[in-house]
Short mmCIF file of all heavy atoms in Angstrom, two decimals:
data_model
loop_
_atom_site.label_atom_id
_atom_site.label_comp_id
_atom_site.label_asym_id
_atom_site.label_seq_id
_atom_site.Cartn_x
_atom_site.Cartn_y
_atom_site.Cartn_z
N SER A 1 -31.28 -74.45 44.76
CA SER A 1 -31.12 -74.49 46.21
C SER A 1 -32.04 -75.50 46.87
O SER A 1 -33.05 -75.94 46.30
CB SER A 1 -31.41 -73.11 46.80
OG SER A 1 -32.80 -72.78 46.64
N GLU A 2 -31.70 -75.86 48.12
CA GLU A 2 -32.55 -76.74 48.92
C GLU A 2 -33.90 -76.09 49.18
O GLU A 2 -34.91 -76.78 49.33
CB GLU A 2 -31.86 -77.06 50.25
CG GLU A 2 -30.72 -78.04 50.15
CD GLU A 2 -31.20 -79.48 49.91
OE1 GLU A 2 -32.42 -79.71 49.94
OE2 GLU A 2 -30.35 -80.35 49.68
N THR A 3 -33.94 -74.77 49.24
CA THR A 3 -35.21 -74.08 49.49
C THR A 3 -36.23 -74.37 48.41
O THR A 3 -37.40 -74.65 48.70
CB THR A 3 -34.97 -72.56 49.58
OG1 THR A 3 -34.04 -72.29 50.62
CG2 THR A 3 -36.27 -71.82 49.84
N TRP A 4 -35.80 -74.32 47.14
CA TRP A 4 -36.73 -74.42 46.02
C TRP A 4 -36.60 -75.70 45.21
O TRP A 4 -37.53 -76.08 44.50
CB TRP A 4 -36.54 -73.21 45.08
CG TRP A 4 -36.73 -71.88 45.73
CD1 TRP A 4 -35.77 -70.92 45.92
CD2 TRP A 4 -37.93 -71.35 46.28
NE1 TRP A 4 -36.30 -69.82 46.56
CE2 TRP A 4 -37.63 -70.05 46.78
CE3 TRP A 4 -39.24 -71.83 46.39
CZ2 TRP A 4 -38.60 -69.25 47.39
CZ3 TRP A 4 -40.20 -71.04 47.00
CH2 TRP A 4 -39.87 -69.76 47.49
N HIS A 5 -35.45 -76.36 45.27
CA HIS A 5 -35.20 -77.49 44.35
C HIS A 5 -34.62 -78.71 45.07
O HIS A 5 -33.67 -79.33 44.58
CB HIS A 5 -34.22 -77.05 43.26
CG HIS A 5 -34.50 -75.72 42.63
ND1 HIS A 5 -33.87 -74.57 43.04
CD2 HIS A 5 -35.33 -75.37 41.63
CE1 HIS A 5 -34.29 -73.55 42.31
NE2 HIS A 5 -35.18 -74.00 41.45
N PRO A 6 -35.14 -79.10 46.23
CA PRO A 6 -34.52 -80.23 46.94
C PRO A 6 -34.52 -81.53 46.13
O PRO A 6 -33.59 -82.33 46.26
CB PRO A 6 -35.38 -80.35 48.21
CG PRO A 6 -36.67 -79.68 47.89
CD PRO A 6 -36.32 -78.58 46.94
N LEU A 7 -35.54 -81.74 45.31
CA LEU A 7 -35.58 -82.95 44.48
C LEU A 7 -34.34 -83.04 43.59
O LEU A 7 -33.71 -84.09 43.49
CB LEU A 7 -36.85 -82.95 43.63
CG LEU A 7 -36.93 -84.03 42.54
CD1 LEU A 7 -36.93 -85.42 43.15
CD2 LEU A 7 -38.18 -83.83 41.67
N LEU A 8 -34.00 -81.93 42.94
CA LEU A 8 -32.87 -81.95 42.01
C LEU A 8 -31.56 -82.21 42.74
O LEU A 8 -30.70 -82.95 42.25
CB LEU A 8 -32.80 -80.63 41.25
CG LEU A 8 -34.04 -80.23 40.44
CD1 LEU A 8 -33.78 -78.92 39.69
CD2 LEU A 8 -34.43 -81.33 39.47
N LEU A 9 -31.40 -81.60 43.91
CA LEU A 9 -30.12 -81.69 44.60
C LEU A 9 -29.85 -83.09 45.15
O LEU A 9 -28.70 -83.43 45.44
CB LEU A 9 -30.04 -80.65 45.71
CG LEU A 9 -30.02 -79.20 45.19
CD1 LEU A 9 -29.92 -78.21 46.34
CD2 LEU A 9 -28.86 -78.99 44.21
N ARG A 10 -30.89 -83.91 45.25
CA ARG A 10 -30.66 -85.32 45.63
C ARG A 10 -29.76 -86.02 44.62
O ARG A 10 -29.05 -86.99 44.97
CB ARG A 10 -31.99 -86.05 45.73
CG ARG A 10 -32.76 -85.81 47.01
CD ARG A 10 -34.18 -86.32 46.92
NE ARG A 10 -34.31 -87.64 46.29
CZ ARG A 10 -35.46 -88.14 45.86
NH1 ARG A 10 -36.58 -87.45 45.99
NH2 ARG A 10 -35.49 -89.34 45.30
N ALA A 11 -29.76 -85.54 43.37
CA ALA A 11 -28.99 -86.22 42.32
C ALA A 11 -27.57 -85.67 42.17
O ALA A 11 -26.80 -86.18 41.34
CB ALA A 11 -29.72 -86.10 40.98
N MET A 12 -27.20 -84.65 42.94
CA MET A 12 -25.85 -84.07 42.80
C MET A 12 -24.80 -85.16 42.97
O MET A 12 -24.75 -85.84 44.00
CB MET A 12 -25.63 -82.96 43.82
CG MET A 12 -26.24 -81.63 43.44
SD MET A 12 -25.38 -80.79 42.06
CE MET A 12 -24.19 -79.78 42.94
N SER A 13 -23.95 -85.32 41.97
CA SER A 13 -23.00 -86.44 41.93
C SER A 13 -21.61 -85.94 41.56
O SER A 13 -21.43 -85.19 40.60
CB SER A 13 -23.45 -87.48 40.89
OG SER A 13 -24.73 -87.98 41.21
N SER A 14 -20.64 -86.38 42.32
CA SER A 14 -19.26 -85.95 42.12
C SER A 14 -18.64 -86.61 40.89
O SER A 14 -18.98 -87.75 40.54
CB SER A 14 -18.41 -86.32 43.35
OG SER A 14 -17.04 -86.01 43.14
N ILE A 15 -17.71 -85.88 40.28
CA ILE A 15 -16.84 -86.54 39.31
C ILE A 15 -16.01 -87.60 40.04
O ILE A 15 -15.79 -87.51 41.24
CB ILE A 15 -15.89 -85.54 38.61
CG1 ILE A 15 -15.02 -84.79 39.63
CG2 ILE A 15 -16.63 -84.58 37.73
CD1 ILE A 15 -13.92 -83.95 39.00
N PRO A 16 -15.57 -88.62 39.33
CA PRO A 16 -14.66 -89.58 39.94
C PRO A 16 -13.26 -88.96 40.12
O PRO A 16 -13.03 -87.81 39.72
CB PRO A 16 -14.63 -90.71 38.92
CG PRO A 16 -14.89 -90.04 37.60
CD PRO A 16 -15.85 -88.92 37.91
N ALA A 17 -12.36 -89.70 40.70
CA ALA A 17 -10.97 -89.25 40.77
C ALA A 17 -10.47 -88.97 39.36
O ALA A 17 -10.80 -89.71 38.42
CB ALA A 17 -10.11 -90.32 41.44
N VAL A 18 -9.71 -87.90 39.21
CA VAL A 18 -9.14 -87.58 37.90
C VAL A 18 -7.63 -87.45 38.02
O VAL A 18 -7.08 -87.16 39.08
CB VAL A 18 -9.74 -86.28 37.31
CG1 VAL A 18 -11.21 -86.44 37.01
CG2 VAL A 18 -9.51 -85.10 38.22
N THR A 19 -6.99 -87.68 36.89
CA THR A 19 -5.54 -87.59 36.77
C THR A 19 -5.19 -86.39 35.90
O THR A 19 -5.95 -86.04 34.99
CB THR A 19 -4.99 -88.88 36.13
OG1 THR A 19 -5.30 -89.98 36.99
CG2 THR A 19 -3.50 -88.82 35.92
N ALA A 20 -4.09 -85.75 36.17
CA ALA A 20 -3.63 -84.65 35.32
C ALA A 20 -3.65 -85.10 33.86
O ALA A 20 -3.15 -86.17 33.53
CB ALA A 20 -2.22 -84.22 35.73
N GLY A 21 -4.28 -84.28 33.02
CA GLY A 21 -4.43 -84.62 31.61
C GLY A 21 -5.81 -85.12 31.24
O GLY A 21 -6.18 -85.12 30.06
N ASP A 22 -6.59 -85.57 32.25
CA ASP A 22 -8.00 -85.89 31.99
C ASP A 22 -8.77 -84.59 31.78
O ASP A 22 -8.38 -83.53 32.28
CB ASP A 22 -8.62 -86.64 33.18
CG ASP A 22 -8.05 -88.02 33.39
OD1 ASP A 22 -7.38 -88.54 32.48
OD2 ASP A 22 -8.28 -88.58 34.49
N SER A 23 -9.89 -84.67 31.06
CA SER A 23 -10.77 -83.51 30.94
C SER A 23 -12.18 -83.89 31.36
O SER A 23 -12.59 -85.05 31.26
CB SER A 23 -10.75 -82.92 29.53
OG SER A 23 -11.21 -83.84 28.56
N VAL A 24 -12.92 -82.89 31.83
CA VAL A 24 -14.25 -83.07 32.39
C VAL A 24 -15.20 -82.13 31.65
O VAL A 24 -14.88 -80.95 31.44
CB VAL A 24 -14.24 -82.74 33.90
CG1 VAL A 24 -15.64 -82.77 34.48
CG2 VAL A 24 -13.32 -83.70 34.65
N TRP A 25 -16.39 -82.64 31.26
CA TRP A 25 -17.29 -81.87 30.41
C TRP A 25 -18.72 -82.02 30.89
O TRP A 25 -19.12 -83.09 31.34
CB TRP A 25 -17.20 -82.37 28.96
CG TRP A 25 -15.81 -82.29 28.40
CD1 TRP A 25 -14.83 -83.24 28.48
CD2 TRP A 25 -15.24 -81.19 27.69
NE1 TRP A 25 -13.69 -82.80 27.86
CE2 TRP A 25 -13.91 -81.54 27.36
CE3 TRP A 25 -15.73 -79.94 27.27
CZ2 TRP A 25 -13.07 -80.69 26.65
CZ3 TRP A 25 -14.89 -79.10 26.56
CH2 TRP A 25 -13.57 -79.47 26.26
N TRP A 26 -19.51 -80.94 30.77
CA TRP A 26 -20.93 -81.02 31.13
C TRP A 26 -21.75 -80.09 30.22
O TRP A 26 -21.32 -79.03 29.82
CB TRP A 26 -21.15 -80.71 32.60
CG TRP A 26 -20.73 -79.34 33.08
CD1 TRP A 26 -21.55 -78.26 33.30
CD2 TRP A 26 -19.40 -78.91 33.43
NE1 TRP A 26 -20.81 -77.18 33.75
CE2 TRP A 26 -19.49 -77.55 33.84
CE3 TRP A 26 -18.14 -79.53 33.43
CZ2 TRP A 26 -18.38 -76.81 34.25
CZ3 TRP A 26 -17.03 -78.78 33.84
CH2 TRP A 26 -17.17 -77.45 34.24
N HIS A 27 -22.95 -80.57 29.86
CA HIS A 27 -23.90 -79.86 29.00
C HIS A 27 -24.14 -78.46 29.55
O HIS A 27 -24.18 -78.24 30.75
CB HIS A 27 -25.20 -80.68 28.97
CG HIS A 27 -26.28 -80.15 28.09
ND1 HIS A 27 -27.03 -79.03 28.40
CD2 HIS A 27 -26.78 -80.61 26.91
CE1 HIS A 27 -27.93 -78.82 27.46
NE2 HIS A 27 -27.80 -79.77 26.54
N CYS A 28 -24.33 -77.50 28.64
CA CYS A 28 -24.41 -76.09 29.03
C CYS A 28 -25.58 -75.78 29.96
O CYS A 28 -25.56 -74.75 30.64
CB CYS A 28 -24.48 -75.21 27.79
SG CYS A 28 -25.84 -75.60 26.66
N ASP A 29 -26.61 -76.63 30.02
CA ASP A 29 -27.73 -76.41 30.94
C ASP A 29 -27.56 -77.13 32.27
O ASP A 29 -28.39 -76.97 33.17
CB ASP A 29 -29.04 -76.91 30.32
CG ASP A 29 -29.58 -76.03 29.21
OD1 ASP A 29 -29.09 -74.89 29.07
OD2 ASP A 29 -30.49 -76.48 28.47
N LEU A 30 -26.54 -77.96 32.40
CA LEU A 30 -26.46 -78.85 33.55
C LEU A 30 -26.21 -78.08 34.85
O LEU A 30 -25.36 -77.19 34.90
CB LEU A 30 -25.35 -79.89 33.34
CG LEU A 30 -25.69 -81.31 33.80
CD1 LEU A 30 -26.87 -81.87 33.06
CD2 LEU A 30 -24.48 -82.22 33.62
N ILE A 31 -26.96 -78.44 35.87
CA ILE A 31 -26.76 -77.88 37.20
C ILE A 31 -25.44 -78.42 37.74
O ILE A 31 -25.19 -79.63 37.70
CB ILE A 31 -27.92 -78.27 38.13
CG1 ILE A 31 -29.24 -77.68 37.61
CG2 ILE A 31 -27.66 -77.83 39.57
CD1 ILE A 31 -30.47 -78.37 38.15
N HIS A 32 -24.60 -77.52 38.25
CA HIS A 32 -23.30 -77.96 38.75
C HIS A 32 -22.85 -77.06 39.91
O HIS A 32 -23.35 -75.96 40.10
CB HIS A 32 -22.24 -77.96 37.64
CG HIS A 32 -22.05 -76.63 36.97
ND1 HIS A 32 -22.95 -76.09 36.08
CD2 HIS A 32 -21.04 -75.71 37.06
CE1 HIS A 32 -22.52 -74.92 35.64
NE2 HIS A 32 -21.37 -74.66 36.22
N GLY A 33 -21.92 -77.56 40.67
CA GLY A 33 -21.34 -76.82 41.78
C GLY A 33 -20.05 -77.48 42.19
O GLY A 33 -19.66 -78.53 41.65
N VAL A 34 -19.37 -76.88 43.15
CA VAL A 34 -18.10 -77.41 43.65
C VAL A 34 -18.25 -77.65 45.14
O VAL A 34 -18.69 -76.75 45.88
CB VAL A 34 -16.93 -76.44 43.37
CG1 VAL A 34 -15.62 -77.01 43.91
CG2 VAL A 34 -16.81 -76.18 41.86
N ALA A 35 -17.90 -78.84 45.59
CA ALA A 35 -18.06 -79.20 47.00
C ALA A 35 -17.07 -78.42 47.87
O ALA A 35 -15.97 -78.09 47.43
CB ALA A 35 -17.85 -80.70 47.18
#
């Protein structure tokens, strides 16, 4: 959260545009969210 981790959230980066059939993957420890 912004309360405790503002440094980390500066790096939050969206996936690019994707097409049906593309797949998206992220390391099991990676911080993630949905806009």
Side-chain angles (χ1 to χ4, degrees):
S1 67
E2 286 287 354
T3 301
W4 302 115
H5 314 97
L7 170 62
L8 302 182
L9 293 181
R10 281 168 43 194
M12 280 289 269
S13 300
S14 175
I15 58 171
V18 295
T19 298
D22 293 345
S23 62
V24 174
W25 302 88
W26 61 101
H27 183 287
C28 56
D29 286 347
L30 220 61
I31 297 160
H32 58 286
V34 179

